[in-house]
Amino acid sequence: MSAVPDGKKLVRSPSGLRMVPENGAFNSPFSLDEPQWVPDKECPRCMQCDTKFDFIRRKHHCRRCGRCFCDKCCSKKVPLPRMCFVDPVRQCAECSLASQKEMEFYDKQLRVLLGGGTFVVTLGTSEKSETMTCRLSNNHRYMFLDGESHFEVELSRISSMQILTDGSSPGGGMSRASGMLLHYKPMGCQDGQQLRMEAADDKKAASLWLAAMHKAAKLLYEARDQ
């Protein structure tokens, strides 16, 4: 184990090298815990094709689900940023497909969220709205809203999120995201708070940000249900 700058450390697990926060409390809300591997003695056969293991047919554990497979059924090495692996790791076919789909979020949509979008924000039942720039924090834990005022929403404290649409789209395609309604519990408060965000002038950029946030919410809920 060795310390590196920016509050992260390099750790070695049975699955490979991982770059994780020094303090576990600062894990990304999208992150997944490493699974417990199915013990070798409990898997005499591949859990996919039922091939019996022997000296020639070795068993391999999927780094994402922890199940046991033969080399043919667990041959792909795919990036797994949700578990903070430094290098691509061995995964079964089902898990590698899920990880490959998530790479679009990390390669594209996460950048959109970090870049931010401009929205008209209404807090609670207030009649007053404010134009603010909304972006995801670098550690992915907070949504920052900046305008004449500033406040933050911790993603882990969001209880529900609804994407609002304008009901129409150029060319008659699917409706475009135009806003977001979310409920969350501010730190130290028992009562929930409502936040409404509607696209400001650059509606296309706002729509892309909202679509990325919708994907982020799916990962967030999946991580909670782990």
Side-chain angles (χ1 to χ4, degrees):
M1 181 184 301
S2 60
V4 296
D6 301 324
K8 292 188 176 183
K9 60 185 178 181
L10 192 63
V11 299
R12 182 180 293 277
S13 74
S15 299
L17 286 173
R18 302 170 65 223
M19 188 70 74
V20 300
E22 289 276 7
N23 186 334
F26 295 106
N27 284 333
S28 165
F30 308 129
S31 66
L32 297 173
D33 294 332
E34 280 191 87
Q36 290 288 330
W37 284 10
V38 175
D40 286 350
K41 62 182 180 181
E42 295 181 12
C43 52
R45 295 177 178 272
C46 173
M47 302 179 79
Q48 179 64 41
C49 70
D50 204 38
T51 295
K52 186 176 181 180
F53 297 122
D54 54 30
F55 289 110
I56 298 176
R57 296 178 180 85
R58 297 179 57 197
K59 59 188 66 175
H60 302 277
H61 287 86
C62 172
R63 271 50 174 174
R64 181 169 178 135
C65 69
R67 295 186 298 162
C68 199
F69 302 91
C70 67
D71 182 69
K72 183 178 178 181
C73 294
C74 194
S75 61
K76 292 185 178 179
K77 290 190 175 182
V78 180
L80 186 47
R82 295 188 72 186
M83 291 185 188
C84 305
F85 286 110
V86 174
D87 301 309
V89 291
R90 188 184 291 268
Q91 298 178 54
C92 66
E94 181 180 350
C95 287
S96 64
L97 182 60
S99 295
Q100 286 170 340
K101 289 181 178 179
E102 290 169 356
M103 283 307 299
E104 181 182 356
F105 173 76
Y106 281 91
D107 287 343
K108 299 178 182 179
Q109 294 165 318
L110 188 56
R111 295 181 183 181
V112 172
L113 293 174
L114 294 170
T118 305
F119 298 89
V120 177
V121 179
T122 307
L123 190 60
T125 57
S126 172
E127 296 181 358
K128 182 181 178 182
S129 298
E130 182 179 346
T131 299
M132 309 184 82
T133 298
C134 181
R135 68 177 180 86
L136 190 67
S137 65
N138 290 334
N139 62 9
H140 312 160
R141 292 176 54 81
Y142 297 91
M143 191 168 69
F144 291 155
L145 296 103
D146 291 293
E148 292 184 5
S149 58
H150 168 87
F151 66 95
E152 305 169 0
V153 176
E154 189 172 0
L155 264 62
S156 63
R157 304 188 72 83
I158 295 175
S159 55
S160 69
M161 180 185 301
Q162 178 185 355
I163 300 297
L164 309 174
T165 61
D166 57 14
S168 62
S169 179
M174 295 177 62
S175 57
R176 184 166 62 185
S178 61
M180 180 171 68
L181 185 67
L182 60 84
H183 294 84
Y184 69 102
K185 283 189 177 182
M187 184 69 72
C189 296
Q190 294 296 322
D191 297 328
Q193 180 74 272
Q194 176 178 290
L195 180 70
R196 186 182 183 92
M197 300 166 51
E198 296 181 271
D201 295 336
D202 192 344
K203 298 187 182 300
K204 182 178 180 180
S207 180
L208 290 173
W209 194 92
L210 291 166
M213 194 64 192
H214 185 244
K215 176 63 176 178
K218 290 182 178 180
L219 299 187
L220 180 66
Y221 297 146
E222 181 183 292
R224 288 179 181 175
D225 293 340
Q226 187 186 41

